[in-house]
Amino acid sequence: MSRFELYSPEGLRLDGRRWNELRRFECSINTHAHASDGSSYLEQGNNKIVTLVKGPQEPILRSQLDATKASLNITVNITKFSKMERSKSSHKNERRVLEMQTALVRTFEKNVMLHLYPRTLIDIEIHVLQQDGGILGSLINSITLALIDSGIAMYDYVSAISIGLYDTTPLLDVNTLEENAMSTVTLGVIGKSEKLSLLSVEDKIPLDRLESVLAIGIAGAHRVRELMDNELRKHAAHRVAKSSAK
Amino acid sequence: MSVSAVSGGRKRLSEGLTVTQKVFVRSRNGGATKIVREHYLRNDIPCLSRSCSICPTIVVPDAKNELPKFVLSESPQDLKNIGKHYTVLDTNIVLQAIDLLENPNCFFDVIVPQIVLDEVRNKSYPVYTRLRNLCRDSDGKKRFIVFHNEFSEATFVERLKDESINDRNDRAIRKTCEWYLDHLAKSEIKIILVSNDRLNRISASDEKFITKSLYEYVELLPNSDEVKESMPNLDSSQYNKDAESINEFSYPEFYPTSRIMGGLKNGSLFQGNIQISEYNFLEGSVNIPSFSRPVLVVGQKNLNRAFNGDQVIVELLPESQWKAPSTVALDAEHYDVNDNPENDNEVDANLIADSQRRLLAENAITAQKSNKVQPTARVVAIPRRSWRQYVGQIAPNSVDTQTGGTQNVFVILMDKCLPKIRIRTRRATELLSKRIVVSIDSWPSNHKFPLGHFVRNLGGVEEAQAETEALLLEHDVEYRPFSKKVLECLPEEGHDWKAPVDLKSQDAIAKDPLLQKRVDLRDKLICSIDPPGCVDIDDALHAKKLPNGHFEVGVHIADVTHFVKAGTPLDAEGASRGTSVYLVDKRIDMLPMLLGTDLCSLKPYVDRFAFSVIWELDENADIVKVDFSKSVIRSREAFSYEQAQLRIDDKNQTDELTLGMRALLDLSIKLKQKRLDAGALNLASPEVKVHMDSETSDPGEVEIKKLLATNSLVEEFMLLANISVARKIYDSFPQTAMLRRHAAPPSTNFEILNEMLQKRKGLSISLESSKALADSLDRCVDKKDPYFNTLVRIMSTRCMMAAQYFYSGAYSYSDFRHYGLAVDIYTHFTSPIRRYCDVVAHRQLAGAIGYEPLDLSHRDKNKMEMICKNINRRHRNAQFAGRASIEYYVGQVMRNNESVETGYVIKVLNNGIVVIVPKFGVEGLIRLENLTKDTSSANFDEVDFKLTFTQIDTGKQREIHVFDKVEVQLKSVLDPVTSKRKAELLLK
Ligand SMILES: [Zn+2]
C-alpha cells in the first residue's frame, strides 16, 4: 500500500503533476568539450545524466573493427550515489545495466549513419549522477544530444519517454515512486514521425490499453524533441554569434 | 518515521507550473536517508465553490476529458451569529469523528485539505476510504470536497527552520482556510476550522476565519441535541465532570516509537497480532514467527488495552512468571475486577536490561520445545487497532433510571472476547434491552474501560430482525440493498432477458460480438441436481456414452461474468461482498436477485448462457481430454437430490437422460474412490438444519443434515471441474491465477487431541500424510459407541488449518496443495453466483481460452492480493455468521422444549467441563459451581484429563474424563447481562 494517492480522483499525481505533464526538462550540450568529441548534460526531473561521445576513432581492439561500418559501443555507469540509498556494488555487470546497454545500442544502430564511418569505433560513455524513474528514456535523450554535438550523422532525433498505466489512466513521464507502483512502457520516437525505434514494456500492459498509452507517449516524446531542438538552436545561435564576433 | 522539510528554490516551468524540491530525512533501522523528491505547484486548482466566478475559467479536464464538478453550495448552512459557512476539517477530527461526518443531518459543505487526507491515510486506511467515499458520493447532499492545498501555489507553505512537521501541517491547514476566506470574500461565505487541537486553535485566533472545537461546533447547530448523541467520547476531562469513572486505576503507558524500533531491531521486543482466548477474555496469545508456539499474555495489565485482533508489540516477562495456558474459563460479562488474582501480577519489567531480555528469548524458545510451560509477555504498544463498530446492549445495572439527562453507561458487547465500552448518552433508559451499535473512540491509560459513543439502535433483544441485523453487523456482512449504480449495470430487459435463439443472427451479433465464440449446446441432455427448493441453480450436468466406450461428461456453470463485467459498480460490489451469506431465515446475496435467481440460474426448459467444462472420461473415470467453452444450454430438468435418486433407482426408466444420470453416478463413485485412495479426508462438523414453520416462520425443529449418493454425485464433478480449471488458468496466468490451498496441519495442533486419545482410548492420529491421517481417523472407533468416530472427526476438524484463497504468484507450486482434497492444485469455479473467487476464475478461464482479454485487475499481483485478502475474510465471516444464526435459532427451539440429551465431554478444565450435544450441534461449558456444592473438594487432574467432584444431589464422588458420554439437561436461558440466549447444560 502506497503511503500516498498515486493518482487522486481530482486528477493529480504524487508530485502534483497532471496525467499528461512532463517533468522539468533541462539540457545543454558541449559541456565537456575537452574530454570528448560530443557531450551533453541532461536533467529530466531528478534524473541527472552526463554523456560523452568519443569518435569516430580507431578501435583499440581489432575485434571491434568492421570493414563496412562503424561499431557502436555504449557504456552506462550508474554511480553508487545515484539513488536515495547508497548502493554497495558498482552496478557494472548487473543484468539490468547490461540489458539497458544492449537496448541502447540496438536503438542507435538504426539511427546513426554508421556506414559513413567504416573501420571506426564510436564510443559513448554515460554517467548517471542521480536517478528518479524512467531512466532508460532519459538515457536515450541524452545520447541523442551528445551525438548531435559530436557531429556524427543521424537520420533524425530520437526522443524517448516513459509512461505508466495507473488502472486505466496513462501517466506521462513517471518518477521512481510511480515506476515502482505500476506497469510502465518506454518509447523511443524518431523525429516528428510516429515511428518507434524502441518499445520496452516492464511487466504486463493489457493490449486494449496500449493504444492510449502509445498515443500520450508519442505526444510526450514529440514535446521532448521540441525542448531538445529549442536548446540546440539556442546553442547554435550562441556559437554562431561567438564565431562571427571573432 | 519521517521528518520532512522543503528546501527553498522554486523554479517557474511554464504558465501556472512551478517546481520545488521536497527534502526529507528518513530514519529507518537506525540509519538516516536523505530523500529528495520533486514537488510541482500549480495555479489551476479550483476552490470548487458554486459561488466562485474565477475558478470555472482555470480548470482543466482530466484523462477522461471530464472537468471537475463544482460541489460546494452557493448558499450553505446559515448558523446563528456566524452566517453562511463552509467547514474545514483537521486530521484529528476526521480520525475521531468519522461517524459524525457521515451523519446525514450535520456537516454540509466540507473542505478536506489534502494534507489532512494524507495524514488520515497514513494513520488509518479504513477511515481514509470512508472519507474518500464521502467526497465521492455526497455531491448532492453532504457536499464534501478535497482541496489540494499542497499542490496549489497559493496555499503551499514551506517548513520553517526548527518548525515541527505537525506545526507545519497545522499551519498549512490554516493557510488553506485563509485562502478560502479571501477567495470567497465577495460571496460572504465564512470559513470555520473545526479542530480539537487547542494549540492550533490558539494560533488561528488572530486570523480572520473562525475556529471551533468539535464540541463547540456541534453546539452551534440547530439540531445539536440529536447530533451530540453520536459525538465521539474522547477524554472525560473535557466535558465530563463525574469522577466516578476516573479512579486510581491506570494502565502502563505505551513505549515511545523510538524504543519500539530499537527493541524490535535488537530482538528484545516482538510484533504480532493478538488473539484473545475464547474461554478467557483475560488471556491472549501472540504468534511470533521465531517461536514455535504462541506467547501468552495473561491479565488485564499485561494485555494493556489490547483488543482481539490488534497488532501489538510485546515484551517477554521474567521466567518465573511463565505458565501453562490457563485451564480456567472466564468471560468478560461475568468478570469482576476484585476477584481477579492477575491484578497483583504487575511487574516492573523495566528493571530488566535488553541483554537479559534476549537471553530470555532464547530460554523461551527452549522452554516451548521441552515442556508445557509457556513464556508469557506483556503488551507495550499497539501500533494498529482492529477497532470497528460493535453491537451490544447497555448493562442495566450501570443505568440510573431515576434521573434523566446525559449519563455514562456501560455497553456489553456481543463478542465475549471484548471488554465493555463506556458511552455517554441521554437515552440510556430508552435504550435498555435494545441491541445497539457503538463505536470506540479511545482508551486513555487512566480508564479501565474504553470510551465510545452510541451510533444506532437496531431494535429489541430477541426480535428476529434486530438479532439478524446485529449478527450481520457483528460479522461485518454488508446487507444493505444494492445501490442504484449497481442495479443500473443489470441488463435493461430485466426478467424478460432471453438468450438469442439464433447465435448467428446479425442483430444478436451486433449487440454482443462475442456471441460468435459461444458454442451451442442446446442439444445436450443437461439436468441440474440441487437441494429441494433451490432457486439459484449455478451448475448443471450431462453425460453421454461415446462410440469408443468412453464417456462425454459436461459440467455447465452459470455464465455470471457475461453480466458482471470487470470494473463496473456491479463488479465492485460483488468483489467487496465476496460471498453470499446464508442465515437460517435469510440469504444475503453477493449479486442482485435478478442474476442469482433468474438470468444466471440454470433453470429448466429455458435457454441460458453457461461456461462449460467438457471431458472425455474413460471407463476408469480418468481424463482423456478436456475442453472449456462459453455456451448456450437448455436444462431438461431440475431435480432435487431425492428426485434424482429415485429416477436413477427406478429400473423402468430407460430414456437417455436417465442413462446419462446413471453414467454420472457410476463415474462419480469411481472418482470418489480415487480421491479417497489418494488420501482425501472425510472430516465432520456438527451440521444441523433448522426447520422453519412455513406459516409463522418460527423455528420448528432441528435436524442433522443427511447426505444422499446424489449429493456426492454432484460434488465429485464439481471438484473435478475445479481442478481442471485450476490447471488451465495456472497454465495461462502463472503469476496471478486465482487458486485455493489447504495447508497440512502442523503437528503441534494435534498434540492435545493425540494426548487425550492416547491416555483415554489408547489411540492416536498419524500426521505423516493426509492418507495416513485419513486411515488413522478410520481406526478411531469405539465398538460400544458408533458416535465416537464422528466425535474424533469433529475434534480433528478443529485442529486443521483453514483453506484459503491465494494467487499463484504468492506461493511456490508445492505449496498449492489442497491437503483435505489431496490434490496438487485447486480453485473455486462452480458457484460464481455466490462466491467472488469463482467470478475471477471465470474471467481468467475466459482469458485463457481466448474468449475475451482478461481485465487488468486480475493480471496484477497487488490487486489479486487485495482480492484474495478480502474474500478470505468475507468467507470466514460468512461462515461465522451462518453458525451464529443457527446457534440463535437452536436457542429459540430449545426455549420451548427443555430436554435431556446425550452429550460428550470434549474438554476438561480446572473449573468446569465443555460438553457437545450432537443432536442440536451445541456445545457449552458446565461450570464447577453447577456440578458440585463444594467446589473446594473438586480435583482437576491435568495429566489424565479428569475432574473429580462431589455430586450435588447424591453426595457421591464422581469422575469425569474427556470423551465421556454423559446425559445432560438442556435448557435455553437468556443471560440477564448480555441478553444473549444460550444453551445451558446441566449434568444429569
Ligand atoms: Zn474559486
Side-chain angles (χ1 to χ4, degrees), chain A residues 1-5 7-10 12-19 21 23-24 26 45-46 84-85 167-169 177 206, chain B residues 11 13 19 21 33-40 42 44 60 62-63 117-118 121-122 125 128 132 146 148 151 856 859 863:
Chain A
M1 184 75 49
S2 164
R3 270 161 51 89
F4 300 103
E5 288 172 335
Y7 185 65
S8 69
E10 289 78 23
L12 291 166
R13 292 156 70 174
L14 279 169
D15 55 7
R17 283 181 294 152
R18 295 196 185 273
W19 67 288
E21 287 175 345
R23 286 181 283 184
R24 183 173 59 90
E26 283 169 71
N46 276 338
M84 296 295 171
E85 271 166 50
D167 210 12
T168 59
T169 311
L177 289 175
Chain B
K11 184 165 189 146
L13 290 182
V19 67
Q21 303 277 347
T33 317
K34 180 176 165 188
I35 292 180
V36 182
R37 285 195 193 125
E38 284 187 305
H39 190 86
Y40 291 81
R42 42 200 324 128
D44 61 357
V60 292
D62 66 6
L117 191 75
D118 286 346
R121 188 177 163 118
N122 284 337
Y125 193 75
Y128 160 80
R132 263 295 180 199
V146 173
H148 285 266
F151 295 145
L856 180 65
R859 273 185 278 178
K863 296 211 170 139

Side-chain angles (χ1 to χ4, degrees), chain B residues 838-855:
Chain B
D838 307 51
V839 172
V840 178
H842 273 236
R843 293 199 185 120
Q844 292 186 333
L845 184 61
I849 61 171
Y851 176 79
E852 78 188 310
L854 179 59
D855 187 71

Side-chain angles (χ1 to χ4, degrees), chain B residues 70-98:
Chain B
F70 282 70
V71 170
L72 298 174
S73 162
E74 60 266 68
S75 54
Q77 197 176 22
D78 201 336
L79 293 178
K80 234 198 314 193
N81 302 332
I82 288 182
K84 294 190 290 182
H85 77 285
Y86 291 159
T87 314
V88 178
L89 300 174
D90 190 357
T91 311
N92 53 30
I93 297 291
V94 178
L95 290 170
Q96 292 157 358
I98 183 75

Side-chain angles (χ1 to χ4, degrees), chain B residues 246-305:
Chain B
I246 316 162
N247 47 20
E248 310 83 74
F249 189 89
S250 84
Y251 288 100
E253 288 291 343
F254 293 140
Y255 285 0
T257 319
S258 53
R259 177 148 179 210
I260 292 165
M261 299 306 284
L264 286 176
K265 203 179 171 205
N266 72 20
S268 62
L269 297 179
F270 302 94
Q271 179 173 330
N273 285 338
I274 192 159
Q275 196 120 38
I276 305 290
S277 156
E278 209 182 322
Y279 292 105
N280 181 346
F281 90 110
L282 286 182
E283 181 181 303
S285 54
V286 183
N287 269 311
I288 297 169
S290 52
F291 288 61
S292 62
R293 272 188 285 184
V295 170
L296 289 180
V297 183
V298 183
Q300 205 167 18
K301 292 227 168 162
N302 287 337
L303 282 170
N304 199 1
R305 296 170 270 166

Side-chain angles (χ1 to χ4, degrees), chain B residues 564-578:
Chain B
V564 184
K565 295 286 183 216
T568 58
L570 176 60
D571 181 49
E573 184 70 27
S576 141
R577 295 189 178 210

